[in-house]
Amino acid sequence: MTRKKAHIISHSHWDREWFLPLESLRFRLVTLMDEVEDLLDKEAGFNHFHMDGQMIMLEDYLAVKPAKREKMKQLVADGKLRIGPWYMLQDAFLTSGEANIRNLQYGLEMAEEFGQAEKIGYFPDTFGLYGQVPQLMRQAGFDTVVFGRGVNPTGFNNQVFDSAFASKYSEMFWESPDGSKVLGILLANWYSNGNEIPTDKEAAKIFWDKKLADVERFASTDEWLFMNGCDHQPVQTDLAEALEVARELYPEVDFIHSHFEKYQDAVKAGLEPEKLQTVHGELTSQQSDGWSTLANTASSRIYLKQANAKIERLLERLAEPISVMATETGVSYPHEYLAFAWKLLMENQIHDSITGCSLDEVHREMEARFEKVEQTTMAIIQNAARKITEQIVTNDAGIPITVFHAGGVEATRTVELELETDAIHFSEMHFELIPDELAKLPEQSFRMETSNGEEIPVVVEPLGIHFNYDLPERKFRDSYFARKYKLTFTVENLPAVGYQTIYAHPVAVSDDEKELTGDLQLENQYLKVEIAPNGTYSILDKEKAVEVVGLGAYEDVGDIGNEYMFKETGDNLRINTYNSKPEIRVLREDKLGKTIEIKHEIEIPVSASATFAEEKRRLVWHPARTSHRSENRTTFKINTELTLNKHDKQLTVRVKLDNQVDDHRLRVLLPTGKQTETHQAGSVFEVVTRANKQVEEWTNPANDNRKQGFVTSGNIVVASLDLPEYEVSEQGDRLELTLLRAVSEIGDWGDFPAYEAECHREITAEFHVFLTDESSVNVPAQVNALLAPTFAIQHPSSSKEKILADTKDFAKWKVADGLVFSAFKLAKDNQPIIRFYQTASEPKLLNTVNLWRKSTILEETAGDAKNQFTVKPNEIITLKGV
């Protein structure tokens, strides 16, 4: 008979910041690590300590005690300190695919610097898992994943329910949409099921009788896992003694102080594969009552999601690609600086941080970090762009402007730039005289042209006379005054990944601006948008002959949930704008297009009722709360701007809010044009199909989901970077997009006020709506390009030799429909890397001009060099230049 083996893994799940701010928890971390070091050195029977799968934990410790670095390396080399593979434990759905890859890359690099990484995919507390995890893990060389959420339904304090199991065992196979498969190990009794093991025999007997039975209930082998630790748990210093007591009480069980690689090897050796079930795709606890999916962390503190999405796109679509382009000028690729920027951003992507479910102090610090990483990223972008423009061959006439774009497909985009002219430097004239001298110059405007002389429509707004300065590479700063203008223009045929140079020619001011017509509709060659008196609008797609009406009403509901979960007030009081009479006016109409403003004012309760405070104080679980909305009301203003420019195939909607109201949620309501049973949403390296109707066990009235990039149902596609929460009706005929959710507490295990989660601030939410039909296989690639930022720069004066063409496309590849561009960067060995993922249902070809080798996500090549690759459905393909 095979002996039972109890693998005890010592760890502390380290939420870097959560119910305490970073530095308060760092103090505890330093104490923890000092004690761990002492135990590993001196305590016989205490053999290993698991560093929670994240390198930032070690980085934070060494920031205080840098002299301990060599000691930590020694413990890692000896196999005692178990580190990696991640840089930090992220939220899976609120971070981009590229961010997830960088997280693994930088984590493994850092772990290897210390000696070795624990090669296991570790997701102990991720709030749901995207379906491509097995594929990413396989490409990284991992065949086992450990996770705590997503399959068996879990509830308050993470207890496991008895119904609707997706897997009978805590071991299962998990398969990605492309067919990649890993062994999945669910922490069915959570990552604290072996916490605080007693040394007293009587107490130990009670403890182990329950714990052994709990694990045996789910384990498919005789290898049983016990996690000796919990959130911020101090290390158990008497663990060796506790295990000796256990061995005496249960001689039939081998109690091993273990680590994950030893445990996974033992499990694999004892597996009977035919006994295990296979789970497929994303794991989001849908087989549950729906109250603990944590999906509403997607709408908590929406301003954090907006900042994160913006910076991810700056890094992925500008900083990395433009830095590759700049190497053609002899500039070194900024590997270290990009890593610095990514890691700084990742500090905000940890699962209790980007989700917005921590203390106010935590999220205030996050905002400062976002500012820092944006400054860092823009410095990288601006430097690379300047180096390129200094060496572009340009026409003699006009002011050259270069527009950079890396959306993956050729695009037409409307761009804004602040242009300077007539600069007078302090070296030329006393600074006090310069503004008056510039004021004497006649007013001017600009005509814009491509390098071929084709006119580009432009709108010019004078910004007056401004001070500025240059910071030359080899000289002291150079101050000047100049006239400044805001130019808004449309550039056609921007390269898929590259740049285009255009020219601004100063001209005399003419009175040719189009007057506002007052016509309350928007129309171009592709779309027609009509606004109803109540502020809703219809969209007609002329090419597809598809129309959807009644879009854009707003609905405000009370929210007595918390940062984790939405809970509607007991009165179910919902206030919408269907019967409103907003002020509607043409805000802008010019040669580029037109914007219509819709100004709603609705009367809504100022907060939840007074009984809500008592429910929070008594820790009433959110599904059981019944408080109503307050009887006191206030005016809530919603300003909507609908924009359709002449080349747009989508309607851009910008909603401006100044929220001073508590305990509520605001959504925009979007009819889809037809009924469906399923809908599709963008996710991490995939487009996932989700059922509109939930399982029988689902009791939560809400059916909220998370998206990346877009969601489509019926005839509409809604695209946005930074509004990740939505809900689709059971019939599929209405899509609701969350714009704001205002709550007042963290929730979870205690009474933790978080008043700033009420979001008393100005918020601007932007999304795009376009229409589709069943044949629109290119929607993911179109959205990906639409949401890619552009960067325009006026050429600096330069004496450098001009060697670069004024327009260049670096995308030396041709992709079939369904392939979505994801990355263009350099590997550590300075070879170019490109990445795509496949969303079509059949194999597609990727053709390249140059020779490439297929690579893993860790940029390790395999196979022959060639210029044609077949990409199977749902495959993530990375190519490395030869």
Side-chain angles (χ1 to χ4, degrees), residues 440-567:
K440 297 176 184 177
L441 297 175
E443 293 183 22
Q444 66 179 16
S445 186
F446 297 90
R447 186 185 77 257
M448 298 195 73
E449 296 179 346
T450 67
S451 58
N452 297 326
E454 299 173 6
E455 187 165 355
I456 296 172
V458 60
V459 174
V460 180
E461 179 185 350
L463 299 178
I465 298 167
H466 290 263
F467 166 81
N468 207 345
Y469 59 89
D470 286 326
L471 295 175
E473 290 183 5
R474 298 288 180 265
K475 295 169 64 178
F476 189 58
R477 62 177 181 259
D478 186 5
S479 301
Y480 62 90
F481 282 101
R483 294 202 290 182
K484 186 180 288 188
Y485 302 84
K486 178 182 175 182
L487 306 185
T488 306
F489 51 93
T490 299
V491 186
E492 297 184 61
N493 304 317
L494 277 171
V497 180
Y499 62 80
Q500 180 179 342
T501 301
I502 58 178
Y503 298 87
H505 300 272
V507 295
V509 174
S510 63
D511 189 21
D512 62 350
E513 288 301 312
K514 190 174 183 179
E515 293 185 4
L516 301 184
T517 62
D519 181 16
L520 298 180
Q521 69 175 23
L522 306 166
E523 188 168 9
N524 63 15
Q525 60 182 314
Y526 306 110
L527 301 179
K528 182 176 182 180
V529 180
E530 295 185 307
I531 295 94
N534 67 355
T536 60
Y537 41 92
S538 64
I539 303 177
L540 170 66
D541 188 307
K542 299 178 181 179
E543 293 181 316
K544 298 184 178 71
V546 175
E547 184 177 24
V548 176
V549 301
L551 298 156
Y554 297 97
E555 183 178 72
D556 190 85
V557 306
D559 189 343
I560 51 175
N562 53 47
E563 291 182 324
Y564 290 97
M565 290 297 291
F566 165 77
K567 171 63 170 68

Side-chain angles (χ1 to χ4, degrees), residues 85-88 90 99-107 346:
W86 301 103
Y87 179 67
M88 53 81 200
Q90 77 279 35
N100 276 264
I101 288 178
R102 300 302 184 283
N103 186 11
L104 189 59
Q105 285 180 315
Y106 292 133
M346 287 178 199

Side-chain angles (χ1 to χ4, degrees), residues 818-834:
L819 281 167
V820 182
F821 171 74
S822 185
F824 181 47
K825 62 186 287 290
L826 291 191
K828 289 182 69 176
D829 61 4
N830 289 317
Q831 291 299 314
I833 292 288
I834 54 175

Side-chain angles (χ1 to χ4, degrees), residues 252-285:
E252 72 280 9
V253 178
D254 290 336
F255 289 87
I256 306 165
H257 196 219
S258 192
H259 57 78
F260 271 113
E261 287 191 6
K262 179 186 290 186
Y263 167 70
Q264 74 168 346
D265 289 346
V267 168
K268 285 187 280 189
L271 275 182
E272 298 178 55
E274 66 278 3
K275 290 172 57 177
L276 302 189
Q277 291 172 261
T278 299
V279 296
H280 300 271
E282 62 180 10
L283 307 180
T284 55
S285 299

Side-chain angles (χ1 to χ4, degrees), residues 746-802:
I746 294 179
D748 206 321
W749 59 276
D751 182 13
F752 297 107
Y755 299 114
E756 291 173 23
E758 296 284 13
C759 297
H760 291 174
R761 57 173 66 207
E762 293 181 357
I763 290 176
T764 298
E766 183 173 287
F767 58 94
H768 309 274
V769 182
F770 57 96
L771 304 189
T772 184
D773 53 38
E774 294 180 0
S775 64
S776 298
V777 297
N778 274 331
V779 165
Q782 291 170 353
V783 171
N784 185 58
L786 174 65
L787 299 180
T790 56
F791 180 74
I793 181 173
Q794 178 181 352
H795 285 216
S797 58
S798 173
S799 59
K800 293 186 178 182
E801 181 184 0
K802 311 294 186 180

Side-chain angles (χ1 to χ4, degrees), residues 82 171 270 297 529 584 608 611 647 694-695 797 859:
R82 314 297 297 189
E171 297 80 39
T297 55
V529 180
I584 306 173
T611 60
H647 296 274
Q694 288 300 342
V695 296
S797 58
E859 300 166 5

